[in-house]
Each structure stands twice: as structure tokens, then as C-alpha cells.
Amino acid sequence: MISRRYSLVAIVLHWAIAIAILGQIALGLYMTRLTDQQINLKFTLFQFHKSVGITILVLTLARLVWRLLHRPPPPPVGQPAWERRAAQASHIAFYGFMIGLPLTGWIIVSTSPLDIPTVLFGVIPLPDLPGLNTLSNAAGISARFAEIHAVAAYILLATVVLHVAAALKHHTIDRDEVLWRMLPLPLLRQRIRKEMK
Ligand code: HEM
């Protein structure tokens, strides 16, 4: 039987990645605007940003595998075809960003002329992506990927805003179960359920 709700694993991964992405964007914007007088803080925050970014990549790959092995609940009954297609497109875009953004970050550090080692959470050394640091124009590639990384983060943020707006529309206008079935806490779910009645 197909469940009407997401599995606990899917719900935990969804909210863990969502919180990490929002924190990661805020952190990225903050740390890149620090001055060279704040070099110690800058170094610590860059290391933390890289650690959380790689964690997002790992969690996203786990989520993708889980998603391929476990069928999600069906779309709400009567949902227009355009809305279903838009939802599918946004989910594909999310996976693209959640994998692409960490990879572009990894390319930035692998080609950076500063050559600062990355140690995830101060424990696990992250190697450079193979073959990149020996390229003759590595510094140019690093700068170009820093731009791509920033633009992709802004587009991801816009996609998150649309995604939240769509979830709220489902809850307040369509009054269907789309938001309810992704909520983590049983109490919160009960309250939202009552509101829908
Ligand atoms: C979903 C994951 C990630 C998000 C949402 C994210 C977001 C951001 C944002 C918003 C910025 C500031 C851009 C700007 O305004 O200049 C930034 C900068 C940066 N990020 Fe990430 N990031 C992610 C993953 C990573 C990873 C995995 C790495 C490295 C392993 C990384 C390395 C960097 C570096 C080095 C910068 C500074 C680039 C520069 O010098 O301008 N990021 N990131």
C-alpha cells in the first residue's frame, strides 16, 4: 500500500537539509564579507562552511538513494497537471542545486591559488578534486567558479522561497495534505490536520 505521508527517514533528511541550506547561505554571505583584519574568524567560518557543504552533499546523495528506493506519497487528488509538472521540475532543480552547489564549492577550493587545506569539522581532511590543482589556469577557474557558486546560491534561495510559498498555498488555499505529510512532529501534524478540517 502507498502511504499518504513521507517516511520518517525522508522527513528527517528533508528538514535537516533545509535547515543546513538556509544556514549555509547566510554563513556564505557573512563570511565572504569579512575583512582581512578578521582573518582568524574568516578561516574558522570558511572551514565550517566547507564542512557543512560537504555534509549537505552526502545527505543529498543519501536522500536521492532513499527517494529512488521508496515511492513518495501520490500527488493530491485533483491537482492540475501544470502544478504537478511545476512541482516535479522544482524537485529536480533542488537535487541539481543540492549536488551542484557543493561540487562548485569543492572546485573553488581545489583550484584556489591559496591552497588552504580543508579539514571537515576539524577531523576529516578533504582532498582536492583530482587533476584540478595542476591546471595552468587554476586561479582563473577558481575565480569563475566562485561567481557560479554565488549565483547558484541566489537561485537556490529563490527556489526555496517559491517552494515555501507553494507549500503554504497548499495548506491555506487548496487545504490539502501536502504540507501535513512532510511535517516532523506528531503534535504539529495533529494541529495542522485540525485546521484543515
Ligand atoms: C548547499 C551547499 C552550499 C551552499 C548553499 C553555499 C552557499 C554559499 C554562499 C551563499 C556563498 C557566498 C557567495 C557570495 O556572495 O560571494 C558561498 C561562498 C563560498 N563557498 Fe559555499 N555553499 C555551499 C557549499 C560549499 C562547499 C561544499 C564548499 C567547499 C568545499 C564551499 C566553498 C565556498 C567558498 C570557498 C566560498 C567563497 C567563494 C569566494 O571566495 O567568493 N561551499 N557559498
Side-chain angles (χ1 to χ4, degrees):
M1 200 187 88
I2 301 178
S3 170
R4 285 165 58 213
R5 286 208 296 112
Y6 282 93
S7 63
L8 184 62
V9 173
I11 292 175
V12 168
L13 284 172
H14 173 275
W15 290 104
I17 294 174
I19 292 166
I21 284 180
L22 290 179
Q24 187 74 341
I25 293 176
L27 178 59
L29 293 175
Y30 177 68
M31 71 184 196
T32 48
R33 279 148 187 83
L34 290 172
T35 63
D36 285 346
Q37 275 77 54
Q38 298 160 294
I39 195 70
N40 288 341
L41 176 63
K42 202 170 177 175
F43 177 81
T44 307
L45 294 186
F46 265 68
Q47 289 289 338
F48 188 63
H49 180 83
K50 294 187 269 184
S51 307
V52 175
I54 295 297
T55 307
I56 290 175
L57 178 63
V58 172
L59 291 180
T60 300
L61 294 176
R63 184 172 172 187
L64 195 55
V65 171
W66 186 266
R67 170 75 170 71
L68 294 173
L69 298 178
H70 300 82
R71 209 188 298 182
V77 181
Q79 185 180 38
W82 73 265
E83 231 184 74
R84 198 171 303 186
R85 277 198 296 272
Q88 277 168 355
S90 78
H91 297 163
I92 293 170
F94 269 122
Y95 279 108
F97 284 118
M98 292 180 319
I99 294 171
L101 250 163
L103 286 182
T104 56
W106 201 349
I107 294 173
I108 302 171
V109 293
S110 301
T111 47
S112 168
L114 297 176
D115 205 21
I116 298 170
T118 301
V119 185
L120 303 178
F121 300 109
V123 182
I124 308 165
L126 179 76
D128 283 342
L129 285 166
L132 290 187
N133 53 9
T134 51
L135 294 174
S136 58
N137 56 343
I141 295 175
S142 186
R144 176 48 59 92
F145 271 88
E147 287 166 13
I148 295 173
H149 191 73
V151 172
Y154 294 131
I155 301 175
L156 173 60
L157 185 58
T159 313
V160 171
V161 171
L162 278 179
H163 182 70
V164 172
L168 292 178
K169 172 196 174 275
H170 278 287
H171 181 62
T172 55
I173 299 175
D174 304 338
R175 301 181 78 78
D176 60 27
E177 298 187 334
V178 165
L179 176 61
W180 168 79
R181 64 196 193 173
M182 191 47 110
L183 289 179
L185 302 171
L187 270 178
L188 192 58
R189 269 205 309 262
Q190 263 172 27
R191 239 178 76 190
I192 296 263
R193 196 99 212 261
K194 265 195 210 130
E195 277 175 29
M196 279 164 47
K197 285 187 179 150

